[in-house]
Amino acid sequence: MHVPDGFIDAPTSAVTGVVAAGAIAVSLRGARRELDERTAPLAGLVAAFIFAVQMLNFPVAAGTSGHLLGGALAAILVGPFTGVLCVSVVLLMQGILFADGGLTALGVNITDMAIVTTVVAYALFRGLVKVLPRTRRSVTVASFVAALVSVPAAALAFTLLYWIGGTTDVAIGKVATAMVGVHLLIGIGEAAITALTVGAVIAVRPDLVYGARGLTQKLKLRVGGELVDVPDAEPAPAPAAARSHRKVWITGLVASLVLAGFVSFYASADPDGLEKVAADKGIDKKTEEHAAADSPLADYGVEDVTDARLSGGLAGVIGVGVTVVAGSAVFWAVRRRRADDTSPSSTSSNSTSV
C-alpha cells in the first residue's frame, strides 16, 4: 500500500500533506491523554514492531503478496491518537532511509495507511467491544474484525485519491474492484497478525492493552429488590514485577529484531497488492525515481554488503533500531509535555489566574 512518487499528482499530494500534518498535530495533542505510565514506554516499541512485521510479505494469491499495515494493531495496543503517530513514524523512516513509499507521496501514505486504517479500525473495535461480552476473548475477536475491515477501507481510500489526482487515465471502477478484492485477502492476514499479537499481550499483561481498559464487569448487589453496582474498591498496589514493563519491552524488541533481521529473508518476493494492481491496470506508467534511491539502505539492503541474507538482515535490524529510537523520542517528548501540563506548579498557576 506504499504509494510511490508519480502515482498521484502534485496538487492532490499537497492537499493530503496538509491533511496528514493536521492529523499529526491533533494526534500529538490527543496522545498526551493516552500516553501514561503504561503506554508511553511501549509506544516506540509498537512502532518498531510494525516496521519489522511490514517486512514480512505473505502470499495472498497467485503472484501477489501482502503485509501488515499496522493501524489497527497500534490503535488497540496504545490508543488511536498514539496509533496514528506510530504508523506515521514507521512511514517516515521507510521513506527517508529505505526508499519505500514516495517522499512527495508521504502525505498520501500517512493519510491512507496511518489515518484511515486507525480511525476505521478503532471506531469499529470500540463498537464491537460495547456489544460483545466483556471478556478478553471479545477484545481479540473485535481486534480481528477491526483489522480485517481496515485494509479494504484503506484500499478504497487510495482509489478515491487516485480518482481525484491519478496521473494516468484508467477506469477507476476496475481499479476499485481490483484494489478491494486483493486487499480483502490481505486483510485476513492483517487480522490474524493483529489478533494474535493483541491476544498474546492480553494473556500476559492485559493492563498494557489500551483497548481492553474498562472492560471489567462490575459486581452487582441486590438492594431493595434492585441490582446496583458495587462501589469500586481502592486498587491494591501491584507487585513490582507486575508494574515493570522491562520484560515486555525486551521481549518485544527481541521479537522485532528476529523478525526483521532473520525471518524477513523468507518473506514472499511477489509484488504487494498495490504494486500488482498498478502493474495490471497501468497505474505505474508515470512512477518517478525515489528521491532517496541512493540511500545506503534503499530497498531494505545495506550498500556494499554482497550477501543478500546478511544485507537484508542488517537493514532490518538497523530499521528496527532507528524506528524504536525515533518513536521513543517522540512519545517521551509527548509524555513529558503531558507531565508539564499536569504538574503542581501549572495547576496552582491556573488556579491563581482564575
Side-chain angles (χ1 to χ4, degrees):
M1 192 74 75
H2 292 76
V3 179
D5 295 321
F7 273 28
I8 307 294
D9 63 23
T12 306
S13 297
V15 171
T16 56
V18 173
V19 171
I24 289 174
V26 171
S27 296
L28 285 169
R29 192 172 187 85
R32 295 185 204 173
R33 300 189 298 271
E34 296 173 348
L35 291 170
D36 56 19
E37 66 281 356
R38 289 175 288 182
T39 53
L42 299 177
L45 177 62
V46 170
F49 182 77
I50 290 173
F51 174 91
V53 180
Q54 283 196 3
M55 293 183 66
L56 309 180
N57 280 47
F58 48 84
V60 296
T64 309
S65 69
H67 63 71
L68 182 80
L69 298 185
L73 178 62
I76 294 165
L77 288 179
V78 291
F81 293 108
T82 308
V84 169
L85 297 178
C86 283
V87 181
S88 297
V89 167
V90 173
L91 293 171
L92 185 61
M93 295 299 103
Q94 290 170 332
I96 293 176
L97 298 178
F98 298 92
D100 188 10
L103 294 184
T104 62
L106 185 59
V108 174
N109 286 319
I110 290 176
T111 299
D112 195 28
M113 295 177 64
I115 301 171
V116 171
T117 58
T118 301
V119 171
V120 170
Y122 197 72
L124 181 55
F125 172 82
R126 292 310 305 176
L128 288 172
V129 295
K130 286 181 179 180
V131 299
L132 292 173
R134 299 166 72 87
T135 64
R136 295 178 184 178
R137 181 174 297 179
S138 295
V139 174
T140 304
V141 171
S143 301
F144 184 95
V145 176
L148 174 62
V149 174
S150 71
V151 178
L156 278 175
F158 167 78
T159 304
L160 175 62
L161 291 174
Y162 197 82
W163 178 62
I164 295 171
T167 54
T168 57
D169 185 16
V170 297
I172 202 65
K174 293 182 179 179
V175 173
T177 301
M179 284 292 291
V180 173
V182 71
H183 284 91
L184 274 172
L185 299 176
I186 295 172
I188 296 173
E190 175 105 11
I193 294 169
T194 301
L196 288 171
T197 305
V198 171
V201 178
I202 285 181
V204 294
R205 289 293 301 273
D207 59 305
L208 296 182
V209 179
Y210 182 90
R213 297 182 186 179
L215 295 181
T216 304
Q217 186 71 44
K218 284 182 173 293
L219 295 175
K220 293 182 180 291
L221 289 177
R222 187 173 297 278
V223 178
E226 296 183 359
L227 289 175
V228 297
D229 291 335
V230 175
D232 292 332
E234 289 293 328
R243 293 198 305 268
S244 173
H245 305 127
R246 183 175 300 175
K247 290 183 179 179
V248 174
W249 200 92
I250 292 174
T251 301
L253 181 60
V254 170
S256 300
L257 291 171
V258 171
L259 291 172
F262 178 73
V263 181
S264 63
F265 181 78
Y266 301 97
S268 173
D270 291 331
D272 65 24
L274 176 59
E275 292 172 337
K276 178 65 173 175
V277 172
D280 290 346
K281 305 301 179 183
I283 293 175
D284 60 354
K285 292 179 180 178
K286 295 188 177 180
T287 303
E288 300 174 0
E289 184 179 15
H290 199 287
D294 295 331
S295 166
L297 297 173
D299 297 323
Y300 297 94
V302 177
E303 190 177 21
D304 298 330
V305 176
T306 55
D307 184 273
R309 178 175 296 186
L310 179 60
S311 177
L314 285 175
V317 169
I318 292 170
V320 168
V322 172
T323 303
V324 76
V325 170
S328 297
V330 170
F331 300 123
W332 178 83
V334 174
R335 171 65 177 158
R336 184 176 181 181
R337 182 67 180 272
R338 167 178 169 163
D340 291 343
D341 290 344
T342 58
S343 64
S345 58
S346 63
T347 303
S348 61
S349 174
N350 291 337
S351 299
T352 303
S353 64
V354 173

